[in-house]
Amino acid sequence: MQELEKLKLELKKLNAEYAKIKEVPAEKRGEFGRELNAKKADILERMRLAEEAMMDAEVLPLDITAPCAPNESIPETYSVFQGSKHPLMTELDRVVKIYQLMGFDVVESRQLDDEFHMFDSLNFAKEHPARDGYDTFRTEEGLIPPAHTSTMQHRVLKTYRNKLEKGEDIAVVVPGRVYRNEDVNATHEHTFYQCEGVYVSKACTMGDMLGILREFFEKYYEQKLNIRTQPGYFPFTEPSLEFMIEKPKSLGGKKGDYLEMLGCGMIHPNVLKMAGINPEEYHGFAWGGGIDRLVMLRYGLNDMRYFESGNLNFLKEF
Ligand code: DAH
């Protein structure tokens, strides 16, 4: 700073010298002028360097206690575009809220897990081809970005099993982001969302499960629905079902137009046993299904890829 001030003063004095040019004899004026110009160029160059050094030095240390009046000092242009919540997150909140109103607890899933939680704890036999059906990604260390929210079942059962001892039921939903090594197209994404449900009590039945699921879908689509099930296969449930709803007329469906919405079933005794719950004494059911598809039906979207596209025109419609 001081250096720059000194140079400015030098420059001022030098500029004053130019006035003397008139007094210099004509034959010496050229040389006199050239000398002044050279001196001036030198001062200007030193000023530039001093300014540069000052800019480098003037990066203020971070002080998070510094006073700040955000709304007064932020230029207008910075506050014009207020983002909005991603439609999938808005809908995921609605989904979770419906289950909460039915009395379910909510546990968030995770974005990196291991072979044990993703497969072993869910009764997938070692080397069983069903493991391949999940098209899992793996990190170099062998960890798995989970391909389904069922990866949380074992933790939920273990964490909540003391409720059973107190005579209460386990009722938990687990929303989460999941990943699969899929060929991406209008109905398949490598990254999508699921919501899992887990219920355990002394005397629950498949009928209770179907009642809960019907209630959920009717609340979500805000109308009465026809439902249907068909046999499915999951190593962690026995029996296993695929749960379908008839596509409502109001959403462009025709009679008999059934859509598969999720997988479900009675929790396999081995899964309960591995989590320290006695399958002779307790029974449970579980389900898991995609959020993206649920939302696509609600809004009449025909391409799942919009969700992860970051396309602002799409996002602004919500
Ligand atoms: N995790 C299964 C999937 O992603 C869906 C599923 C089926 C979840 C049955 C469950 C269940 O909890 O009981 O394909």
Side-chain angles (χ1 to χ4, degrees), residues 175-308:
R177 184 192 262 169
V178 295
Y179 306 90
R180 289 189 196 182
N181 191 0
E182 296 262 19
D183 284 335
V184 173
N185 60 37
T187 51
H188 294 88
E189 252 292 2
H190 50 69
T191 301
F192 56 103
Y193 291 80
Q194 283 190 334
C195 186
E196 188 86 3
V198 180
Y199 194 95
V200 182
S201 74
K202 275 215 145 103
C204 62
T205 66
M206 184 103 90
D208 296 329
M209 175 178 79
L210 296 179
I212 289 172
L213 293 176
R214 173 194 283 282
E215 177 70 8
F216 167 76
F217 283 100
E218 292 188 346
K219 282 271 171 346
Y220 184 77
Y221 289 114
E222 301 172 288
Q223 58 188 296
K224 291 271 165 227
L225 294 168
N226 291 322
I227 63 171
R228 182 181 278 182
T229 58
Q230 67 183 23
Y233 172 73
F234 303 100
F236 36 101
T237 40
E238 180 57 37
S240 303
L241 298 177
E242 279 163 7
F243 183 92
M244 299 183 286
I245 63 168
E246 192 178 32
K247 190 172 174 181
K249 254 208 214 107
S250 65
L251 300 172
K254 288 196 290 285
K255 194 140 190 65
D257 218 355
Y258 277 85
L259 303 169
E260 191 201 316
M261 298 310 284
L262 49 78
C264 58
M266 300 306 288
I267 300 177
H268 195 288
N270 288 348
V271 174
L272 293 175
K273 231 185 282 175
M274 270 187 273
I277 295 172
N278 180 3
E280 306 285 329
E281 203 177 340
Y282 298 100
H283 303 278
F285 48 79
W287 66 92
I291 299 296
D292 304 53
R293 232 183 306 158
L294 193 76
V295 176
M296 284 168 73
L297 176 59
R298 182 168 153 91
Y299 290 98
L301 303 172
N302 54 13
D303 198 325
M304 201 184 249
R305 289 169 292 195
Y306 277 122
F307 289 131
E308 296 288 325

Side-chain angles (χ1 to χ4, degrees), residues 110 113-128 131 144 146 148-158 161 196 198 234-237 266-277 286:
R110 44 167 57 211
D113 213 344
D114 53 29
E115 192 80 21
F116 175 76
H117 289 92
M118 176 68 205
F119 293 120
D120 304 74
S121 70
L122 291 167
N123 196 41
F124 282 82
K126 286 253 183 276
E127 318 293 335
H128 194 281
R131 295 192 187 216
I144 304 176
H148 56 180
T149 42
S150 307
T151 205
M152 292 297 289
Q153 272 200 24
H154 182 76
R155 290 188 186 87
V156 165
L157 293 172
K158 260 186 14 195
R161 72 180 171 213
E196 188 86 3
V198 180
F234 303 100
F236 36 101
T237 40
M266 300 306 288
I267 300 177
H268 195 288
N270 288 348
V271 174
L272 293 175
K273 231 185 282 175
M274 270 187 273
I277 295 172

Side-chain angles (χ1 to χ4, degrees), residues 13-25:
K13 280 189 196 150
L14 186 77
N15 282 340
E17 293 282 302
Y18 279 93
K20 292 185 188 158
I21 210 157
K22 290 180 280 190
E23 296 154 29
V24 177

Side-chain angles (χ1 to χ4, degrees), residues 33-104:
R34 270 192 298 282
E35 253 173 49
L36 285 185
N37 284 346
K39 274 190 197 163
K40 186 167 177 172
D42 175 55
I43 294 175
L44 288 174
E45 173 61 9
R46 280 190 287 146
M47 278 174 76
R48 191 184 65 78
L49 293 174
E51 257 168 18
E52 243 176 42
M54 207 174 74
M55 298 260 274
D56 287 346
E58 271 209 351
V59 175
L60 292 172
L62 177 65
D63 176 5
I64 56 166
T65 66
C68 151
N71 296 327
E72 282 163 38
S73 59
I74 294 173
E76 187 88 351
T77 45
Y78 290 160
S79 51
V80 171
F81 182 68
Q82 304 270 339
S84 60
K85 209 163 176 175
H86 192 283
L88 277 179
M89 294 301 103
T90 311
E91 295 302 308
L92 195 56
D93 282 353
R94 284 190 63 232
V95 167
V96 165
K97 186 80 183 282
I98 295 171
Y99 286 121
Q100 279 180 310
L101 290 172
M102 291 191 215
F104 282 81

